[in-house]
Each structure stands twice: as C-alpha cells, then as structure tokens.
C-alpha cells in the first residue's frame, strides 16, 4: 500500500500545504469534487488547528480517566465531536466525513475484531473442555514447586503466549488466577502478571496492534515496524523476569533464581528478534514465548533453586499427567503456531505491477514479487463514495481509501480452522472419560465468545471510526505537524504518547489507531524514520497497559482482591515508568544515530 495521509504533507510538502488554501474543497460528493486535508485549515493557523484537532482525544481521555465513563460511550462521544470538527473546522464535506467513519468501523470489524473473536475462542476451548487444568499442572511440575520459578513460567512466559493469541484482558485474568491458585499472595500475583505482560502487549493478539499502527501510519507491511520493535526489545525486556522475581521475593529471590530468570528473558527477546525480522509479525509473542519456555524447561531439567523459602513453596502436583494429556492441553497453542507459520511462509511469485514508466509499459514494469499464497484471494476495492474524492496535493487518490477483504488469508480464518480442528480432536479424545466434550459444545463456546465480546467489538469499531475521521480530515496531521516543530526532540515524546494512549484506553490497538498517523506525520516532519516512532508508540503502549485502569480492575478481580487497585497502581507505576524511561532512552539514541542498527 502506498503513502497514507500521514506522509502526504511533510516534510518537503509541509510548506506547500500551509500556504495553498485552494486545495481544500468543502463541497458535496454530488458535484464530483475532491477534498485535500490541510494541517492549518482552522484560520490558517497551525497551532489553532492542532488545538481544535486535539479536542476529540482530550474529551475521550478526560471522560474515561477522570469521570470513569465506559469506553464505548467515550468513543461514541469523541467520534461525534471529531465529525463535527472535520466538517466545521477542517472544511471536510459531511458525506466524506461519514464515509470515512464507515470505512474505519469496517476495518475495526474486519479484520481486527474477527481475529480477536477467533483468538479468544481458541483459548476458551481449553477452558470449556477442562484441559486448562492440565496446562496449569504442566507449569507446576516444571517449576519444581518454587513460586518464583512458577511466576516466571506463568506470569511471563504463559501470559505472553496467551497475549500473543488472545490479548484484550484475557492473559492477565488467566495468569493472575493461576498464580493465585499456586499460593502466591494476591497483590504479588497481580503485580507480577501485569509487569510480566507489558512487553508483549504491543506484539500480541496475533499482531493486531502492529497491523493497526502500520495501517494508520501508512506502512504497507507491518513487518517493517515489527523489525524495528524487535531490535529495541532486547535492551528493554531481557531483565523483566528479574523484576518479577524481585516482586515475589525481593533481593533474595533474585539471588536464588537469577539463572532461570535470565534464561527466560534471553529466550523471550531472542524469539522477538527472530520472529519480527524473519517470520511473521502476527506470531512474534507466540514464538518468543514458546522459545522462552523451551530454553527454561531445558534449564529446569538440570537446575533448581538452592533454597526455596517455605512461604514461597507451592504444593506438588497431585498426580502425574500422561504425555497425551500434556499434548492435548497444549494442542491449541502448538497447532496455531504451525498453521500460521505454514500459511505465512507459503509464498508464490506473482508478476510485478506497473511502475512510474506507465501502466503496462515495459519501462514501468516492476520485478516479480513473492507474496503469501493465500493473499491472492484477497479482495481489494475503493471504499464506495470515498475513493477518488480524497486526494493528495497532486490530485492523486489516496490509497488509504482502499479496503482489503482478506477473507481467507486473515489470521482470523487460520484461528477459526485451528479451533475447528481442536474441537474435533477434543470431541474424539476424552483422555479416558476425564474430559468428555462434543463438537456442539465447541461451537456453543464460539457463540458465547461472540456474545461476551459484543461490547468490545463495538468499542473497537467506534475507535477505528474516530481514527479514520481524524486522519482523513487532517486533524491528526495538524497535531502531528505541530508536534513535529519539536524536531528530533519528538523522539523523546513518542513512546510516552503511546504510553498515555494505552494507559487510558486499556488497549494497545486503540493507541495505535489514535496515534499511528500522528507518529508518522511527526516523524516525517522531524526527519526521523517513521518505523522507529511507530514501534516506540506500540512498545510504550504496552508498558502503559501496566497502569491502565481496566487492567488494574481485571487483575484485582482475578486475584479476588477488590479494592486493591490503588496499591497496584502505586507499585505498578514505578515499574511502568522505569521501563518507559529506558525505552525512551533507546528511541532517542536510535533517532540520533547512536544505535543506528535499530533502524538499519
């Protein structure tokens, strides 16, 4: 996909946009005219345009963070405000503004919500079948009865795996409950899980946050953003398991269990680097967690803590689990990795498209490309009534008004097929009658999953509609162009902006939708690699999840400690802000060229 609105005005064309007001056309589609967004549309003043453009976001954050209004209402109110500002402030025709919202909502529903529903269903199959008990027992046996070790296995590795598959609160709720079940004190169980989960939030839920931020930032391939994120993560995340051990048992825990903590951290970041640069952005958190698990498991066959304090020793597993039960319990997670890896690596060669030399002309012919086999079934079309009416400075239709319906190549379809296979296997293999299951029950679980996520689906669709209206009308460009006046100093603000987005909304995907275009616009204006700032937005957003009110509530509920949110916030903020400061330092050094390998 070519350039998005994020890159149409800056840096080289920013001055043109600021001086050429005739490019705006506040007219109806019925006349066949076009609209080109300008960052100084309000009174010809960039600062005034940016201030007005920021109102929808400000209202959203205040309603949610100060008045604790439900997220779906916050997003609806902010969407209405953004539409009004687009029409009255930025001169966008009302019909184009409405169509922009519809395209954004459609993208929110498919593929984003489609993937979310199928990923959550896959996990729910292990819950409804009872196999989740065997998964929990596997970790208890591997942890040798030591809570510090089990905290790493559950709060860092397993939580990262579930984040990679499902996300949206499920990893924290599940892992908190498992840590509570092995006897960890409630607040420590919640805090360790939230801190351990933060680094994978930006990469999880089948790469939805990365897909979204790439889309909003005008990056054709999310792997370009993922690769940069993968080179940043090792510096920030390798020591996270040590933080978890410190939360559980302080300096004593770190001293006794640092080998396993370091092994888990190295395995995780190595998986991040490999998957983000060479495999698939959808599988980063999954592959990283599985590699971390494999290395840690190997170490635990030959090593155990020299001393496990009585208060941090869990009861041994009550029974020995057969290999078949272990395999069946882990089947959904193993199978989805295989299915997605095969479909992503299965590529074919297709003819190149026409280049600048002319459509179909030999001079403009591009070299053949290798693309995913299933991607050939994708259906792309210009959004009706919008495509061709939203143009750049040269009068060319913006490619972001093209909608791609990847019905077969979508990770959601792969997850659905995996779920069907898992349901069929569970229906035939009851492990000696211990776990009776039926195909009908599996399908009923899918129905229940859809029903339970109804509000979440509506919220995501509305937030995406808000993001598209702000992007297509020029509101996000105005904010980005104004912030870009900070020059290279904006690199120090990039991760913090993502942190705020997720801390308030509770979703790295929402943060990507709100700020992806802004980050790309500011990067172009400041002369910074946009991939760096898009990656920083998402990694900062993951760390913001630690202190998100929604996340605090989920964790407190999962550990059966209602009212513990203020303590979790106080203690979690120290870890969240500390990691954010480290991330910001890395981003600044990368932007200045000191760590040039990150953007190479």
């Amino acid at each position: 996909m070519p350039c998005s609105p994020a890159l149409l005005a800056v840096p080289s064309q920013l001055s043109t946009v600021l001086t050429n007001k005739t490019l705006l056309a506040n007219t109806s589609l019925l006349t066949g005219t076009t609209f080109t967004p300008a960052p100084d549309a309000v009174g010809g003043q960039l600062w005034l345009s940016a201030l007005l453009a920021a109102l929808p976001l400000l209202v959203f954050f205040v309603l949610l963070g100060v008045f604790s209004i439900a997220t779906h209402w916050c997003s609806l109110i902010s969407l209405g405000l953004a539409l009004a500002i687009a029409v009255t402030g930025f001169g966008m025709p009302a019909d184009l503004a409405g169509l922009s919202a519809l395209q954004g909502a459609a993208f929110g529903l498919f593929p984003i919500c489609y993937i979310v529903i199928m990923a959550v269903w896959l996990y729910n199959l292990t819950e409804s079948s009872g196999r989740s008990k065997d998964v929990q027992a596997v970790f208890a046996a591997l942890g040798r009865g030591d809570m510090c070790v089990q905290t790493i296995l559950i709060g860092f590795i397993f939580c990262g795996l579930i984040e990679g598959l499902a996300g949206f609160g499920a990893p924290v709720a599940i892992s908190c409950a498992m840590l509570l079940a092995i006897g960890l004190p409630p607040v420590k169980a919640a805090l360790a899980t939230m801190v351990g989960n933060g680094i994978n939030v930006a990469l999880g839920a089948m790469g939805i946050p990365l897909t979204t931020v790439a889309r909003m930032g005008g990056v054709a391939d999310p792997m370009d953003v993922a690769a940069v994120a993968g080179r940043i993560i090792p510096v920030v995340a390798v020591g996270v398991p040590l933080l978890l051990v410190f939360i559980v048992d302080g300096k004593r825990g770190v001293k006794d269990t640092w080998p396993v903590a370091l092994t888990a951290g190295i395995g995780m970041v190595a998986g991040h680097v490999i998957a983000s640069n060479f495999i698939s952005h959808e599988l980063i958190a999954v592959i990283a967690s599985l590699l971390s698990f494999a290395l840690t498991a190997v170490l635990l066959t030959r090593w155990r803590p020299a001393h496990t304090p009585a208060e941090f020793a869990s009861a041994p597993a009550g029974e020995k689990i057969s290999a078949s039960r272990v395999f069946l319990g882990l089947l959904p997670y193993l199978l989805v990795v295989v299915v997605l890896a095969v479909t992503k690596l299965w590529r074919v060669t297709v003819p190149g498209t026409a280049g600048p030399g002319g459509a179909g002309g030999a001079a403009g012919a591009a070299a053949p490309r290798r693309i995913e086999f299933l991607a050939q079934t994708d259906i792309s079309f210009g959004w009706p009534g919008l495509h061709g009416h939203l143009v750049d400075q040269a009068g060319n239709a913006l490619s972001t008004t093209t909608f791609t319906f990847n019905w077969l190549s979508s990770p959601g379809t792969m997850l659905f097929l995996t779920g069907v296979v898992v349901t069929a296997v569970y229906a035939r293999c009851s492990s000696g009658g211990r776990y009776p299951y039926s195909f009908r029950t599996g399908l009923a679980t899918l129905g229940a999953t859809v029903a339970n996520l109804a509000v979440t689906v509506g919220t995501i669709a509305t937030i995406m509609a808000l993001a598209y209206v702000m992007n297509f009308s020029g509101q996000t460009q105005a904010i980005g162009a104004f912030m870009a006046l900070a020059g290279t100093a904006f690199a120090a603000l990039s991760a913090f902006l993502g942190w705020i987005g997720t801390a308030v909304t509770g979703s790295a995907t929402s943060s990507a939708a709100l700020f992806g275009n802004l980050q790309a616009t500011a990067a172009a204006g400041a002369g910074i690699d946009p991939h760096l700032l898009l990656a920083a937005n998402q990694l900062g957003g993951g760390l913001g999840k630690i202190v998100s009110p929604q996340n605090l509530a989920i964790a407190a509920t999962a550990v059966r400690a209602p009212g513990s949110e203020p303590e979790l916030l106080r203690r979690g903020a120290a870890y969240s802000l500390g990691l954010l400061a480290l991330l910001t330092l890395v981003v600044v050094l990368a932007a200045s060229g000191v760590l040039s390998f990150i953007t190479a």
Side-chain angles (χ1 to χ4, degrees), residues 317-558:
E319 63 172 311
K320 185 176 181 180
I321 302 176
S322 65
S324 64
R325 283 174 56 188
V326 170
F327 174 76
L328 289 171
L330 298 176
L331 177 63
Y333 315 115
L334 298 175
L335 185 59
V336 73
V337 172
V338 172
V339 171
L340 285 169
V342 169
T343 55
K344 288 296 175 182
L345 295 176
W346 186 11
R347 294 178 174 268
V348 295
T349 301
V350 297
T353 56
R369 297 175 299 130
R370 289 187 59 80
I371 65 171
E372 297 170 23
F373 177 77
L374 296 180
Q376 295 184 100
T377 64
D378 293 354
I379 301 173
S380 297
F381 56 91
W383 194 256
L386 184 63
H387 186 66
H389 295 274
L390 192 66
V391 300
D392 61 16
Q393 318 309 315
N396 300 316
L398 294 177
S399 61
T400 45
T401 56
T402 300
F403 187 86
T404 300
F405 183 64
N406 55 339
W407 64 279
L408 186 57
S409 65
S410 169
T413 301
M414 301 304 106
L415 288 166
F416 171 73
L417 295 175
T418 301
V420 170
V421 173
V422 170
T423 301
V425 172
Y426 281 178
R428 292 183 60 87
C429 305
S430 63
S431 296
R434 175 182 286 271
Y435 298 118
Y437 205 61
S438 68
F439 198 82
R440 177 177 295 181
T441 302
L443 294 181
T445 301
L446 175 58
T449 300
V450 174
N452 292 335
L453 292 175
V455 175
T456 299
V457 168
T459 300
I460 292 174
T462 306
I463 289 177
M464 290 304 304
L466 168 64
Y468 269 60
V469 170
M470 292 188 65
N471 291 345
F472 286 177
S473 66
Q475 294 177 59
T476 308
Q477 291 181 51
I479 301 173
F482 181 72
M483 295 184 69
L485 297 178
T488 56
F490 181 77
L493 304 174
S494 181
F496 180 67
L497 193 63
W499 185 91
I500 291 176
T502 305
V504 176
T505 66
S507 167
T509 301
S510 298
S511 181
L514 292 172
F515 296 134
N517 190 262
L518 186 155
Q519 296 276 10
T521 302
I528 303 173
D529 186 341
H531 301 99
L532 175 64
L533 298 195
L534 292 172
N537 186 89
Q538 292 314 101
L539 295 176
L543 300 178
K545 186 68 174 281
I546 297 174
V547 295
S548 166
Q550 296 92 320
N551 205 39
L552 294 170
I554 291 171
T557 301

Side-chain angles (χ1 to χ4, degrees), residues 107-244:
F107 182 72
L109 293 173
F110 191 96
I112 293 178
C113 289
Y114 176 47
I115 298 172
V116 170
I117 290 171
M118 293 307 160
V120 174
W121 175 51
L122 191 64
Y123 170 77
N124 286 344
L125 288 175
T126 65
E127 284 287 307
S128 62
S129 66
R131 299 280 181 181
S132 58
K133 296 179 181 178
D134 285 351
V135 175
Q136 184 174 343
V138 169
F139 289 112
L142 278 173
R144 302 290 188 92
D146 184 276
M147 285 190 190
C148 287
V149 177
Q150 290 186 56
T151 297
I152 295 172
L153 292 171
I154 297 172
F156 183 63
I157 299 176
F158 183 72
C159 189
L161 179 62
I162 302 302
E163 183 66 49
L165 294 173
F168 294 89
V172 169
I174 296 162
S175 300
C176 280
M178 291 175 67
L179 288 177
L180 186 68
I182 66 173
L184 201 64
V187 171
K188 289 185 176 182
L191 185 60
T193 300
M194 293 190 301
V195 174
N197 183 54
I199 200 63
N200 280 311
V201 168
L203 313 169
M206 304 312 301
I208 292 175
L210 289 173
T211 300
T212 305
V213 80
R215 168 77 177 186
M216 304 315 296
V219 177
D221 188 354
M223 280 292 286
D224 293 338
V225 179
V228 175
R231 297 181 201 122
I232 296 174
I233 286 174
V235 182
V236 179
V238 70
V240 168
L242 292 170
L243 295 180
L244 269 61

